[in-house]
Amino acid sequence: MRGWRGSIVRSTIPFTTSPRNNGALKRAFTAGISTSTRPDPFILLADHLAQVRGALFDLLGSSSPTLDEIAKYYFLQPSKQLRPLIILLLAQATNGLGKNWEKRRLEGVQDLDLPLSRADVLNDFNPSIPTKTASFSEKWDIHSTTAANPTSQKEWNGILPTQTRLAQIVEMIHAASLLHDDVIDESPLRRGAVSAPQAYGSKLAVLGGNFILGRASAALARLGDPEVVELIASIISNLVEGEILQMKEAPAPANAWRVYLQKTYMKTASLMAKGARGAVVLGGCTEGEIYREVAYAYGRNLGIAFQLVDDILDYEAGEATLGKPGGADLQLGLATGPALFAWEEHPEIGPLIERKFNQPGDVELARDYVRKSSGVERTRDLALAYAEQARDVLVPLPDSDAKGALEALTGRVVKRKS
Ligand code: FPP
Ligand code: MG
């Protein structure tokens, strides 16, 4: 498939189709996933994911014990590591295909912990990397400028060190956004434990998030690719814009779906789409090569499917399975997929959505309307349609275990229960 010259067309996902219309689609998609012998994505890269997580702690060391603790807090509880997984699998599935692969492979043999600025000028002491960072000293003299000797880092599982580091960076940005999100949502729980704002207070949770972003930005610069810096930086802007969009007044009925899907892209899918594209760029695929588009389209569709399922689970699952409070969206005034579909069947829910469920009894009433409607089922069908689209855009990739695992992941995302 190396010479594939197709193009990824815009999705035509029908988000108002009825469950009846989607029955055949659902059956075909689930059958396509289950009849295969595709590798389990989490098992295929289990050792790599463990390494990504373990080595991440070293990036977050601080000489302030409090900051050190908060920055690492959300990495201590088990997480799905879906974002790093997408990045690593797309790296594996596309490495060797791009025009600049050999060049990137050679560039990949560099020390990614080594500061670009001299360590004593950077003054960002990290006790976990003491030989490569320096702390602030008050009296300052002219220092010599001998270049440090880079230690080599090697390819592993066919994945470049830069791509593994990108997986860590993306997970760091995700964790930073969760620290801020739990302040905004006043959430008591995250990943089955007391949330960071509950444990340390809002101020420290916000500062911890900012510290993680600082370290992620430095690590990003050390990847040496301005295009990847641009892509990943824009994820942070998207996350903030998505959060602001969610805070605004409820949109007019005609705009409700567009705004919801836009918010879903910004808060969830952008990180997966741009992280995946970044991995392929680091693997030497140049502008115009289809693999970049495959990665972006896969991450975007999978991300939207993932969030739609998340929005269903908020109605269906409780604290024990989610590791965070269920039913939070209505409490926060948010009308997600199930409520928007319910609105089509029960117009009475409209005024509740418009006032963001802020009157006593609104939340319970809205939940009843959603239960009486086929909102949850139709949201699941929509998630299936996005997941199927994610699987379909993989066609240009040559067959490999990584491609099979990416396909399997589309099924896992829609079937998940937590
Ligand atoms: C979870 O949303 C939160 C996000 C996906 C992103 C939140 C983004 C910000 C707070 C903007 C700041 C960003 C950075 C990078 C500092 P949720 O509340 O819908 O899900 P939950 O149930 O997991 O809390
Ligand atoms: Mg939240």
Side-chain angles (χ1 to χ4, degrees):
M1 275 289 189
R2 256 166 212 256
W4 199 86
R5 282 288 173 272
S7 64
I8 303 290
V9 286
R10 258 179 193 285
S11 155
T12 49
I13 286 167
F15 55 75
T16 51
T17 50
S18 75
R20 283 172 298 282
N21 292 345
N22 274 346
L25 169 82
K26 195 184 328 189
R27 280 192 300 280
F29 178 68
T30 339
I33 290 299
S34 58
T35 52
S36 75
T37 49
R38 293 179 177 90
D40 180 315
F42 291 93
I43 294 177
L44 186 69
L45 285 179
D47 56 348
H48 214 117
L49 285 173
Q51 199 255 356
V52 160
R53 194 174 125 95
L56 211 153
F57 286 96
D58 286 346
L59 294 173
L60 294 174
S62 169
S63 48
S64 153
T66 314
L67 194 51
D68 192 273
E69 201 177 313
I70 295 169
K72 294 172 182 170
Y73 185 67
Y74 279 161
F75 297 104
L76 293 172
Q77 281 82 35
S79 89
K80 291 184 269 296
Q81 289 187 287
L82 177 63
R83 292 150 188 88
L85 182 65
I86 293 171
I87 287 180
L88 298 175
L89 286 174
L90 272 153
Q92 239 185 6
T94 57
N95 280 352
L97 302 175
K99 284 194 191 108
N100 281 345
W101 162 247
E102 279 309 325
K103 183 170 174 280
R104 291 305 190 134
R105 192 180 193 180
L106 292 173
E107 282 170 4
V109 185
Q110 59 185 318
D111 187 344
L112 298 174
D113 292 331
L114 200 68
L116 303 176
S117 311
R118 241 175 41 222
D120 60 334
V121 171
L122 197 64
N123 272 317
D124 181 20
F125 182 60
N126 179 349
S128 304
I129 320 179
T131 56
K132 292 169 192 166
T133 57
S135 58
F136 181 74
S137 69
E138 281 178 31
K139 278 195 183 165
W140 204 244
D141 204 347
I142 294 176
H143 290 212
S144 73
T145 55
T146 10
N149 196 11
T151 51
S152 70
Q153 291 172 356
K154 294 217 167 71
E155 239 172 277
W156 187 33
N157 283 337
I159 297 166
L160 298 175
T162 46
Q163 294 167 320
T164 301
R165 180 52 56 88
L166 180 66
Q168 293 173 319
I169 291 168
V170 160
E171 197 67 341
M172 286 161 80
I173 294 173
H174 177 55
S177 80
L178 296 182
L179 282 165
H180 288 195
D181 181 70
D182 285 342
V183 172
I184 295 168
D185 291 350
E186 299 176 21
S187 183
L189 285 172
R190 168 75 64 191
R191 294 181 177 166
V194 170
S195 74
Q198 282 283 315
Y200 302 98
S202 293
K203 289 180 188 173
L204 286 173
V206 170
L207 291 169
N210 294 350
F211 176 74
I212 297 177
L213 287 183
R215 283 287 168 79
S217 305
L220 186 56
R222 289 171 201 157
L223 297 179
D225 188 310
E227 184 181 348
V228 175
V229 173
E230 180 187 66
L231 265 175
I232 303 304
S234 77
I235 297 171
I236 301 175
S237 327
N238 286 161
L239 286 167
V240 176
E241 284 174 330
E243 193 64 31
I244 299 278
L245 198 59
Q246 183 173 285
M247 276 178 190
K248 283 169 61 171
E249 296 293 293
N255 290 332
W257 266 106
R258 185 186 55 72
V259 172
Y260 171 58
L261 289 175
Q262 190 181 341
K263 186 258 340 170
T264 303
Y265 170 75
M266 286 177 163
K267 277 191 67 178
T268 309
S270 164
L271 193 80
M272 299 184 191
K274 292 175 179 173
R277 189 178 175 99
V280 174
V281 172
L282 289 172
C285 292
T286 55
E287 191 57 44
E289 288 188 275
I290 194 70
Y291 309 111
R292 285 174 171 230
E293 310 311 324
V294 168
Y296 180 82
Y298 179 84
R300 183 177 174 129
N301 287 310
L302 192 83
I304 294 180
F306 176 86
Q307 187 57 48
L308 289 168
V309 174
D310 222 60
D311 294 343
I312 292 169
L313 292 175
D314 191 66
Y315 280 89
E316 286 189 333
E319 203 172 288
T321 39
L322 294 179
K324 60 186 180 185
D329 289 340
L330 289 174
Q331 298 282 358
L332 291 167
L334 304 177
T336 60
L340 293 180
F341 277 127
W343 195 359
E344 290 177 17
E345 296 168 31
H346 301 281
E348 307 90 308
I349 199 177
L352 280 67
I353 291 178
E354 275 152 14
R355 61 175 184 251
K356 294 196 136 197
F357 317 106
N358 66 4
Q359 303 286 309
D362 278 3
V363 166
E364 294 72 20
L365 196 56
R367 199 172 292 138
D368 287 344
Y369 280 126
V370 172
R371 274 200 198 113
K372 277 193 285 186
S373 77
S374 58
V376 164
E377 199 185 343
R378 291 170 75 186
T379 307
R380 197 178 297 286
D381 288 336
L382 183 57
L384 271 167
Y386 275 101
E388 189 189 43
Q389 185 88 356
R391 196 188 61 184
D392 288 351
V393 299
L394 296 172
V395 166
L397 298 183
D399 286 342
S400 66
D401 278 354
K403 179 182 179 182
L406 284 164
E407 288 170 342
L409 196 54
T410 63
R412 289 283 284 265
V413 158
V414 281
K415 281 188 214 140
R416 75 193 174 98
K417 297 275 178 247
S418 64

